[in-house]
Amino acid sequence: GSRTQLEDTAPRIVEHPTNVLVSKGEPATLSCKAEGRPAPVVEWYKDGERVETDREDPRSHRTLLPGGSLFFLRILHGRRGKPDEGVYVCVARNYLGEATSRNASLEVAGE
């Protein structure tokens, strides 16, 4: 059969993150899956600021999983605040455009 040329497509989010409530020190995952051609690059933003993962900082406790989800080895929570708490969105981009997921809040459970 003749191979149909697959057309490039702008990203779309097929799995959105949902709100999470986590105990401090526990792992957590914010789901995100995007489709597109070429495969979109996923970035995460927390309260509007880009989230650094172990790709930028090997010591980071946050890992960008191959599918685009954001994995926290353990939720950080100190006397000085709750650095992981906030509202997250994932953004998938390729040269045709970008797609932004719904907001998901990550909350750290009280003591």
Side-chain angles (χ1 to χ4, degrees):
S2 61
R3 255 184 77 233
T4 52
Q5 188 58 46
L6 288 160
E7 288 190 18
D8 287 358
T9 54
R12 65 188 184 99
I13 308 279
V14 291
E15 189 180 325
H16 291 265
T18 53
N19 297 346
V20 223
L21 178 65
V22 202
S23 304
K24 66 174 184 174
E26 293 292 304
T29 305
L30 286 166
S31 301
C32 179
K33 194 183 286 171
E35 288 179 352
R37 182 181 300 274
V41 173
V42 171
E43 290 183 331
W44 282 87
Y45 291 84
K46 169 182 166 293
D47 301 327
E49 303 257 311
R50 203 166 88 74
V51 172
E52 284 207 343
T53 61
D54 57 354
R55 291 189 178 181
E56 289 93 14
D57 179 359
R59 296 184 312 270
S60 173
H61 67 295
R62 291 180 294 248
T63 300
L64 188 62
L65 299 179
S69 296
L70 185 64
F71 176 69
F72 299 81
L73 295 172
R74 61 190 179 284
I75 291 299
L76 297 186
H77 177 103
R79 287 187 298 279
R80 291 186 303 284
K82 306 176 180 180
D84 289 326
E85 215 170 57
V87 175
Y88 289 80
V89 297
C90 98
V91 180
R93 291 191 180 89
N94 67 14
Y95 80 97
L96 283 170
E98 63 178 62
T100 304
S101 73
R102 290 195 286 269
N103 289 355
S105 66
L106 187 147
E107 283 183 64
V108 179
E111 312 297 87

